[in-house]
Amino acid sequence: MIRLPESMEKIWTMRAKGMREIEIAESLGISRQAVNKALKEAKAKLFEAFFALAETFSWEIVRVNAEKGFMVARGRCGDRATRVYAFYIPQKGIRGFFGEEVPELILQHAVELRIVKRADKKELIKVLER
């Protein structure tokens, strides 16, 4: 299971929730440069993880957003083509779902990271597909 190192995950989560780099640095008592470096490394690790996942399952990537930690891909579920959505969830790693069967954990995560304003499954799919 892919997990960002704890300190990197904390910085990535704070940024994904909308905090500016300088605010994160002040909050954690570290330099803005350290925050910037951790964010760059976190994004690279998430891109790598999503691409590896897609390659493993032969999915075609449609979109990756490492800042908010999600991927949209095309895949197969049995004999039919379907959308695949994968999210990086802090302390849990990557979780995903097929089609429009959005798990509550992912829906709440999307609200926390301001991907959507309210816990609405259809709205989340709509935003991910933009």
Side-chain angles (χ1 to χ4, degrees):
M1 169 175 76
I2 171 69
R3 286 253 343 255
L4 297 175
E6 188 177 332
S7 59
M8 184 183 291
E9 183 176 87
K10 184 172 188 172
I11 291 168
W12 176 83
T13 301
M14 293 169 85
R15 180 69 183 123
K17 288 181 177 180
M19 289 181 74
R20 296 185 347 225
E21 286 184 19
I22 192 70
E23 295 170 327
I24 297 167
E26 289 171 356
S27 172
L28 299 176
I30 60 176
S31 70
R32 190 199 58 76
Q33 291 83 356
V35 170
N36 184 275
K37 181 180 179 202
L39 289 172
K40 282 183 182 178
E41 289 178 17
K43 289 176 197 175
K45 287 179 183 287
L46 291 175
F47 267 115
E48 187 177 300
F50 287 132
F51 278 90
L53 188 64
E55 184 176 16
T56 298
F57 293 103
S58 300
W59 296 337
E60 180 185 341
I61 294 176
V62 174
R63 177 179 180 202
V64 173
N65 182 324
E67 288 82 17
K68 294 290 185 176
F70 68 84
M71 171 185 74
V72 178
R74 288 185 197 95
R76 299 208 62 80
C77 187
D79 61 342
R80 64 184 176 92
T82 188
R83 279 296 210 228
V84 180
Y85 303 94
F87 284 80
Y88 180 78
I89 309 289
Q91 301 179 342
K92 296 188 184 328
I94 294 178
R95 299 290 189 268
F97 64 96
F98 295 94
E100 296 183 2
E101 300 299 319
V102 184
E104 192 62 31
L105 170 72
I106 290 176
L107 190 56
Q108 291 307 314
H109 172 73
V111 171
E112 287 176 23
L113 295 191
R114 300 178 185 166
I115 296 170
V116 290
K117 293 180 182 177
R118 55 187 163 67
D120 182 295
K121 294 177 181 185
K122 288 184 181 185
E123 181 64 21
L124 177 58
I125 298 297
K126 184 176 166 184
V127 168
L128 295 175
E129 290 295 336
R130 285 189 200 148

